[in-house]
Amino acid sequence: MENCGGAKIELHAFCGNVGDLEISREKCRVATEESECLRQDLAQQLEFAKEQNKRLEERNVARESEQEKSPRR
């Protein structure tokens, strides 16, 4: 009977550890999903900023070209 009591204690402790690990794993999964969403959002923002920068550079080139063509006063 004594062995049975010890085994029950060990089983109870093991089940507690498994539960803790499941909770930890779930937290990691959620954090990973949130990080991936943030990464995708930042990648989209970066792409948008690159496109805007390209358009602004094209405008500057066109403006400089126009200024070179127009007579100076």
Side-chain angles (χ1 to χ4, degrees):
M1 287 300 242
E2 193 173 304
N3 287 341
C4 183
K8 283 184 181 180
I9 292 172
E10 285 181 36
L11 178 61
H12 190 281
F14 176 74
C15 289
N17 288 341
V18 169
D20 292 344
L21 291 173
E22 288 173 344
I23 291 169
S24 177
R25 183 174 183 257
E26 180 64 15
K27 285 180 181 178
C28 286
R29 185 189 63 75
V30 169
T32 299
E33 287 176 359
E34 289 173 353
S35 295
E36 180 59 22
C37 288
L38 179 60
R39 187 200 64 78
Q40 289 176 358
D41 186 44
L42 291 173
Q44 288 175 347
Q45 289 179 29
L46 177 61
E47 193 59 37
F48 179 74
K50 285 180 179 179
E51 290 171 8
Q52 278 190 319
N53 191 41
K54 183 179 177 182
R55 282 190 224 112
L56 289 173
E57 287 177 0
E58 290 170 353
R59 284 185 191 171
N60 281 339
V61 168
R63 186 176 298 138
E64 289 172 358
S65 177
E66 286 298 315
Q67 287 177 350
E68 289 174 0
K69 290 179 183 177
S70 66
R72 295 185 182 186
R73 296 179 185 184

